[in-house]
Amino acid sequence: MISIKGLSKVFQTKDQEVTAVDNLDLTIEKGEIFGVIGYSGAGKSTFIRLLNRLEDPSAGSVVIDDRDVASLKKKELRLARQDIGMIFQHFNLLWSRTVHDNIAFPLEVAGVAKKERDQRVEELIELVGLAGRGQSYPSQLSGGQKQRVGIARALANKPKVLLCDEATSALDPETTDSILDLLVDINQKLNLTIVLITHEMHVIRKICHQVAVMEGGKIVEQGDVLDVFLHPQKKVTKRFVDQVMGDPEKENSLNLIHDTYKSDSILKLHFVGENTNQALISDISRRFNIDVNILHGKITQTQKGAYGTLFVQFSGEQSEIENVVGYIQSTTVEVEVNPSA
């Protein structure tokens, strides 16, 4: 669906050249919700603006449905953008227009007849959960409602791709979840490919199928969301995973655990999918002559299933603890002994 090769963007400032996006290669499948995550300055906002040529690339190609957006002339680009919807962090609504007229605007630009335009707008108002608010103005709406208008407007021309530029970062957590649920619903109903950039791992965890981690203009890690949660390779990725797993000061926490229980074995268990319901600890307590103390744990949900971590302290004979580790390794639960940050 989307094939990106050698994509780069270099900005020329007064004093130097700044490489915002550095030679990216990426493939995004049709119907996928693909997340791009990074901290401020990672290059993710520039990246998403390159996908619809709001920024011209310095090098590389962006092929969407067999059409290289990066090489299109102005007239071709205007037509191509009808297949690429975009929603923004700060909504970008027309404040003098009603909800109905905001959603209708791209249809007017595309030359759609009024009767067809009005019918399409009503369908979209219903789809995004704003029935009865068509004649309201943006100033009369909550933040979440404004973003729903932005989503409806982005869908007006029946795009094949929806780009989301920090679409929930201006919203409170409850409203964020409702907007994310709406995006999942749209993805499933319309088989719409969604590319979403964010600095919040909660957003990636909740709705994305695949994720790419950006740092310094490069993609430093990518893969299935659940795999990235299970096996983060880079330090920046581990920091993002810790956002969701509730341990932002993981290194200090682990040092405290090791200092407090230095004479015992600390195990970190990884549970995936149906294994999160497994009664492993009680099973170990019955089978082996050791004492078990649960130190810390959390379960979270991704699009591909549940993922959980559990820190436990084992006290007893070293040989018996080794037997426990061997037993856990014989199951589908992953185990780290005396884990480090």
Side-chain angles (χ1 to χ4, degrees), residues 13-29:
T13 68
K14 188 175 182 179
D15 302 319
Q16 61 181 338
E17 287 187 344
V18 176
T19 302
V21 173
D22 191 359
N23 195 32
L24 296 193
D25 294 324
L26 199 62
T27 299
I28 300 171
E29 300 297 336

Side-chain angles (χ1 to χ4, degrees), residues 4 7-12 18-24 36-59 62 69 86 88 163-166 195-198 214 216-219:
I4 298 162
L7 187 64
S8 296
K9 178 63 180 180
V10 179
F11 292 100
Q12 181 67 55
V18 176
T19 302
V21 173
D22 191 359
N23 195 32
L24 296 193
V36 179
I37 191 167
Y39 290 108
S40 295
K44 58 189 187 299
S45 290
T46 301
F47 164 73
I48 205 166
R49 290 169 64 85
L50 289 169
L51 295 187
N52 63 357
R53 284 275 302 277
L54 288 178
E55 293 284 355
D56 289 327
S58 303
V62 177
V69 175
M86 189 162 185
F88 304 87
L163 307 179
C164 305
D165 186 2
E166 296 278 10
V195 183
L196 181 152
I197 70 163
T198 183
M214 284 192 72
K218 296 178 179 290
I219 292 176

Side-chain angles (χ1 to χ4, degrees), residues 60-123:
S61 62
V62 177
V63 178
I64 300 177
D65 251 8
D66 300 322
R67 182 166 51 185
D68 185 2
V69 175
S71 64
L72 295 179
K73 304 298 183 184
K74 286 186 177 181
K75 184 177 180 181
E76 296 171 318
L77 181 59
R78 282 197 299 271
L79 293 174
R81 281 180 176 153
Q82 293 181 11
D83 288 335
I84 308 171
M86 189 162 185
I87 57 177
F88 304 87
Q89 176 181 358
H90 296 297
F91 321 128
N92 287 13
L93 302 181
L94 300 169
W95 296 93
S96 62
R97 284 180 168 241
T98 63
V99 167
H100 180 284
D101 291 344
N102 263 282
I103 299 169
F105 183 68
L107 297 169
E108 293 175 28
V109 173
V112 176
K114 187 176 188 307
K115 183 177 179 181
E116 183 183 347
R117 196 164 70 220
D118 290 344
Q119 181 179 345
R120 178 65 178 155
V121 170
E122 290 307 312
E123 290 172 359

Side-chain angles (χ1 to χ4, degrees), residues 26 28-38 44 47-48 162-168 176-177 179-185 187-188 192-213 221-229 244 300-307:
L26 199 62
I28 300 171
E29 300 297 336
K30 180 176 175 59
E32 195 168 62
I33 303 179
F34 194 101
V36 179
I37 191 167
K44 58 189 187 299
F47 164 73
I48 205 166
L162 180 63
L163 307 179
C164 305
D165 186 2
E166 296 278 10
T168 60
T176 290
D177 282 344
I179 294 298
L180 295 179
D181 288 340
L182 174 60
L183 290 175
V184 170
D185 186 51
N187 167 255
Q188 293 172 347
L192 185 67
T193 304
I194 298 177
V195 183
L196 181 152
I197 70 163
T198 183
H199 63 275
E200 299 172 297
M201 198 63 174
H202 163 73
V203 172
I204 301 292
R205 186 271 302 172
K206 187 171 174 66
I207 72 168
C208 294
H209 304 113
Q210 297 280 321
V211 61
V213 182
E221 190 165 351
Q222 70 178 92
D224 179 275
V225 169
L226 189 54
D227 288 342
V228 170
F229 264 81
V244 173
T300 192
Q301 190 71 31
T302 73
Q303 280 286 316
K304 292 292 185 69
Y307 161 60

